[in-house]
Amino acid sequence: MKMCSIVRIPFLLLLFTAIAAAQDAGPAGNVVQNIGETNPIKKPALDVYPEIVAEVNGEKITREELIQESLRTHGEEILQRMLNRALILDECKKQNVNITRTEVDREIERLAKQFNIDRAQFLNIIRNDNNMSPDQYANEVIWPRLALETLIYDKIKVSPEDVEKKYLSTYGPSLGLLMIAASTKEKAEEIRGRVVKDPDSFGEIAKTESTDMLTASNKGRMQPVFQYSLPDPELEKQLFALKEGEISPVIGPYGPQKNYMIFKCERRYDSIVPKEKMDKIKEQLTAKAKADKLKGEAQRLFERLGKEAKVENILKNPELRKQYPNLAATINGQPIYLESVLEMCLNLYARQDLEAMISVRMIGQECKKVQLAISEQDLDTDIWVRAAEATLPLPDGSPNIKEYMEAELAKYEVPKEVYRTNIVLPGVALKKLAAGLVKVTDEDIQKGFEANFGPRVQCLGIVLKEERRARDVWQKARTLPGKENKKAEAVFEELAAEYSIEPGSKQMRGKIPPIIKNGGQPKLEEEAFQLKPGELSSVIQVDHDTFVILFCQEILPAKEVKLEQVKDSLMSDIRKKKEMIAINEYYKGVMKRATIINYLTGETYTPAEKTIPINVPGSSPEKKNGNPAPAK
């Protein structure tokens, strides 16, 4: 039974990651301790890592290199956690908040029971997925959450109205909307006039003219909108007043881009869970409502504590680092030692950082072999091109690099210099190394033309992970319409909302993009193109553990476009896709030729593609991490 996706801890989303370095003081003891007593980490804590952590084709990667890379990549993030820890520890002392080991253990037992596994299994999943020992999980995750709940307990009471709102925002009635965004009101009014005259053109106009890239790429289609799910109640009220097929007036300016928007109500959906069945999920809804309140109140608490505290961030001040080489920061005059930051960086990220370093080192070695140099200008050019593809141009016509970089740094959660060296540089190098492998043939162009402009099959889809479950759902789709006098399509939508494990098709009640030929799913395409409107497919196994059921809604005819009109754009698009394939194949070839010894995992990889355990004190040869992944 796979539990990884259920209990994996997104550290950046932990409740401000207020980490407590707690120690057991007995079943009824107080685990809150002063930061001065718990913060210093002795240098020997880093000595558990060998002097040489890896070898790549004979070239060594040292422990010191790994330490500096981990600090460069995660130091600021880890330091912020420690500052938060200090804030919450001090507040607990001020308010005399005592969280005992018994309370922490009881909460772990409750979580394990929630996932229908025992405590040992639960903690083993935590260890494997987050590289955290049971003590670390108890002290660094469970303790701060319980402490925060206690500190703000009187402000996180959940009312029946809170539960009702959570039900409506998660399982209640929703809207299937299309959207077009425009930068000016005049442009929005002009577009609205066109779509009112021809409502069926809304999707195509959104694709070509909407300034919202995310929805434009899906012909304006948004994720379903639930009540109480939008930050602007007035906008939500306007949207829920729309009838099916109705087009809204121009709304705006709205959002950070101050866009003007037009919406079309494509469909009004009934509740995913009927109101009469709400009691069955009341406990779940209450927990979600409580978590929302806890997050909001915790944010306000940290804002207040942060204003009251005196913090000196030494880590990001080069002059102060020279003066205080052993410190990362001080808070209210108390030290946070650099060694403690380093130790936590390595505890959490050493293996993944080392894999990235191995990958970058291999690519660098390949560049040296062919005397390929990558300049800063190459990196700037690559970022410029990607920003031009992903953002709207500035008034002078140049890409919005600032907006693009903000999105990328948030996506990868790394500092700018790490993004350039660990993400952009390897990609640019591999692209140049693999350039000679890319060829676009007439057959490629013909297949691309058929995929983009040929006939398509519009289906509803349900995605499942177990064949037995897929067959059970298929049987319900086949038999329920006759028994309950429901239309087959309506039954299929209900089943998709209840059973599909793919978030998009689940939220949109089976709605999936039209299926095309040569789209990369031959089994799915073959079955889809044999269906007629109103027909149910068989259970389609698309890979070893993924099964799909389709319901055909309509056959969309080929578009009236000639190959000569679109040949150049097709070639460009196909070349980009083949470049990605060539880069991946080239990297696989680099891996096959490499000899890699990873002293942290206790494994070696040879050109013969054998994985050989090696005897390294403190390593875990039995745990296979697989080959290092290429840098993204």
Side-chain angles (χ1 to χ4, degrees):
M1 178 179 181
K2 290 186 178 181
M3 294 293 296
C4 302
S5 61
I6 298 177
V7 298
R8 183 167 181 79
I9 305 164
F11 278 100
L12 295 178
L13 297 180
L14 279 176
L15 209 47
F16 298 87
T17 51
I19 297 176
Q23 295 179 355
D24 190 2
N30 178 2
V31 297
V32 177
Q33 297 196 10
N34 185 282
I35 188 172
E37 298 172 330
T38 60
N39 191 50
I41 301 294
K42 303 295 184 184
K43 182 136 187 168
L46 302 180
D47 291 341
V48 298
Y49 299 92
E51 289 282 353
I52 305 301
V53 291
E55 293 183 33
V56 184
N57 296 318
E59 190 175 332
K60 294 177 172 59
I61 298 177
T62 67
R63 176 178 65 197
E64 185 58 30
E65 288 177 301
L66 175 60
I67 287 172
Q68 293 307 316
E69 179 65 15
S70 197
L71 181 65
R72 183 174 78 112
T73 306
H74 312 290
E76 279 294 331
E77 169 204 338
I78 294 299
L79 177 58
Q80 188 58 54
R81 298 183 193 183
M82 291 185 166
L83 291 170
N84 288 340
R85 178 184 72 181
L87 292 173
I88 199 169
L89 281 169
D90 284 348
E91 189 65 13
C92 283
K93 292 178 70 176
K94 288 177 184 176
Q95 296 193 30
N96 196 29
V97 169
N98 301 325
I99 306 298
T100 67
R101 173 63 67 175
T102 300
E103 291 173 286
V104 171
D105 288 343
R106 189 183 300 127
E107 178 63 9
I108 293 174
E109 293 283 356
R110 187 189 70 79
L111 290 171
K113 185 177 180 181
Q114 193 175 51
F115 296 117
N116 296 316
I117 54 178
D118 63 33
R119 176 191 173 95
Q121 288 175 301
F122 180 80
L123 291 175
N124 191 48
I125 292 169
I126 295 296
R127 184 194 298 276
N128 291 337
D129 281 7
N130 298 282
N131 199 29
M132 298 183 77
S133 69
D135 281 345
Q136 285 176 316
Y137 178 65
N139 297 335
E140 297 172 8
V141 177
I142 300 301
W143 187 92
R145 184 164 62 76
L146 293 178
L148 278 170
E149 287 183 5
T150 305
L151 288 170
I152 57 181
Y153 177 77
D154 60 334
K155 297 180 180 179
I156 55 171
K157 293 178 181 177
V158 178
S159 68
E161 291 76 16
D162 294 326
V163 177
E164 171 76 9
K165 286 182 178 180
K166 182 54 63 176
Y167 163 75
L168 290 173
S169 67
T170 311
Y171 300 107
S174 61
L175 302 176
L177 297 170
L178 303 181
M179 182 187 79
I180 298 174
S183 56
T184 67
K185 187 173 184 179
E186 293 73 21
K187 181 63 176 177
E189 292 288 4
E190 184 267 326
I191 291 174
R192 184 179 185 276
R194 287 155 57 192
V195 296
V196 167
K197 288 180 181 178
D198 183 9
D200 292 339
S201 68
F202 199 103
E204 288 299 324
I205 292 176
K207 178 182 175 183
T208 57
E209 299 203 36
S210 179
T211 59
D212 183 77
M213 297 295 183
L214 186 63
T215 54
S217 62
N218 196 25
K219 294 187 176 180
R221 183 165 287 111
M222 305 168 60
Q223 290 293 327
V225 173
F226 292 83
Q227 289 178 275
Y228 301 105
S229 65
L230 297 179
D232 187 336
E234 185 57 36
L235 174 61
E236 188 176 283
K237 183 179 178 181
Q238 287 180 274
L239 294 179
F240 272 87
L242 295 174
K243 299 175 183 177
E244 286 190 3
E246 187 178 357
I247 294 171
S248 75
V250 171
I251 298 173
Y254 190 80
Q257 302 301 324
K258 302 298 181 184
N259 281 324
Y260 292 85
M261 297 172 293
I262 311 112
F263 295 90
K264 177 183 177 181
C265 180
E266 191 176 33
R267 183 77 180 271
R268 296 184 70 97
Y269 295 110
D270 294 331
S271 299
I272 294 175
V273 177
K275 193 69 175 285
E276 57 269 22
K277 295 183 179 179
M278 182 178 164
D279 285 346
K280 293 183 178 180
I281 56 171
K282 191 170 183 178
E283 184 178 345
Q284 177 189 0
L285 293 170
T286 302
K288 288 183 176 181
K290 182 179 180 181
D292 288 346
K293 287 206 166 189
L294 179 62
K295 184 176 180 180
E297 291 299 332
Q299 183 173 0
R300 283 184 279 276
L301 173 65
F302 277 114
E303 287 174 354
R304 176 176 66 81
L305 295 179
K307 289 177 181 178
E308 295 171 357
K310 184 178 179 181
V311 177
E312 188 75 68
N313 190 324
I314 297 168
L315 188 62
K316 65 179 182 181
N317 187 320
E319 292 303 317
L320 288 177
R321 286 192 68 178
K322 290 177 184 178
Q323 287 182 260
Y324 308 102
N326 296 324
L327 294 181
T330 62
I331 179 167
N332 295 327
Q334 297 199 44
I336 292 183
Y337 292 93
L338 183 62
E339 290 292 347
S340 63
V341 175
L342 292 176
E343 196 236 8
M344 188 170 290
C345 283
L346 292 174
N347 272 349
L348 298 178
Y349 300 114
R351 292 194 177 194
Q352 75 177 52
D353 286 346
L354 182 57
E355 287 188 355
M357 293 176 74
I358 289 170
S359 184
V360 171
R361 190 68 58 93
M362 281 192 305
I363 295 169
Q365 290 171 349
E366 285 292 306
C367 290
K368 286 180 182 178
K369 285 180 187 177
V370 298
Q371 297 183 329
L372 174 64
I374 308 297
S375 67
E376 290 297 315
Q377 181 62 46
D378 290 327
L379 305 188
D380 290 337
T381 300
D382 187 76
I383 291 171
W384 192 99
V385 171
R386 292 179 182 273
E389 294 173 344
T391 65
L392 290 172
L394 296 170
D396 64 1
S398 63
N400 193 335
I401 293 176
K402 181 182 178 183
E403 179 185 312
Y404 173 76
M405 286 300 297
E406 286 175 353
E408 286 290 283
L409 297 181
K411 174 182 175 182
Y412 290 104
E413 298 175 339
V414 294
K416 183 178 179 180
E417 65 274 13
V418 176
Y419 174 78
R420 288 175 67 89
T421 58
N422 288 13
I423 296 169
V424 181
L425 191 150
V428 171
L430 284 170
K431 185 176 179 179
K432 289 192 173 187
L433 289 166
L437 303 177
V438 178
K439 293 180 181 178
V440 180
T441 66
D442 289 341
E443 183 182 359
D444 294 330
I445 294 172
Q446 186 59 46
K447 286 183 176 180
F449 179 74
E450 191 173 34
N452 284 277
F453 303 101
R456 294 150 293 153
V457 185
Q458 182 65 67
C459 295
L460 299 174
I462 303 174
V463 183
L464 301 121
K465 278 291 181 187
E466 297 175 2
E467 184 175 10
R468 182 174 179 179
R469 170 59 65 89
R471 298 200 179 282
D472 288 344
V473 173
W474 179 84
Q475 180 67 7
K476 290 180 179 181
R478 188 179 70 150
T479 58
L480 281 179
K483 291 182 179 179
E484 298 188 1
N485 294 318
K486 290 183 179 180
K487 289 183 178 180
E489 186 171 343
V491 170
F492 197 93
E493 288 177 347
E494 292 173 5
L495 293 173
E498 183 174 357
Y499 293 106
S500 185
I501 55 96
E502 194 276 315
S505 62
K506 185 179 187 70
Q507 284 192 340
M508 301 190 75
R509 300 169 189 260
K511 189 78 172 180
I512 59 175
I515 297 171
I516 60 175
K517 291 184 178 179
N518 307 314
Q521 290 282 0
K523 291 181 181 179
L524 195 71
E525 294 164 24
E526 181 181 359
E527 178 113 14
F529 276 90
Q530 291 177 358
L531 296 175
K532 296 177 183 177
E535 285 187 346
L536 184 72
S537 75
S538 61
V539 175
I540 309 163
Q541 184 171 359
V542 295
D543 59 38
H544 72 285
D545 67 346
T546 305
F547 302 85
V548 176
I549 307 168
L550 299 175
F551 178 88
C552 180
Q553 293 178 299
E554 62 177 321
I555 309 297
L556 303 173
K559 299 177 182 177
E560 295 183 5
V561 177
K562 292 183 179 180
L563 177 58
E564 292 73 21
Q565 296 174 304
V566 295
K567 188 172 182 178
D568 290 344
S569 61
L570 279 175
M571 284 188 68
S572 175
D573 186 54
I574 293 168
R575 181 172 294 280
K576 288 178 184 176
K577 291 176 180 176
K578 295 195 87 170
E579 275 180 354
M580 292 305 300
I581 294 171
I583 285 171
N584 286 330
E585 290 302 315
Y586 191 95
Y587 185 81
K588 288 178 184 177
V590 173
M591 280 298 310
K592 287 180 180 179
R593 296 191 298 272
T595 297
I596 301 168
I597 304 174
N598 187 324
Y599 292 105
L600 295 192
T601 63
E603 293 175 342
T604 182
Y605 306 93
T606 72
E609 298 187 70
K610 294 178 181 177
T611 304
I612 305 169
I614 56 176
N615 217 356
V616 179
S619 67
S620 304
E622 72 280 0
K623 184 180 178 183
K624 306 292 184 183
N625 280 351
N627 289 343
K632 296 179 182 178

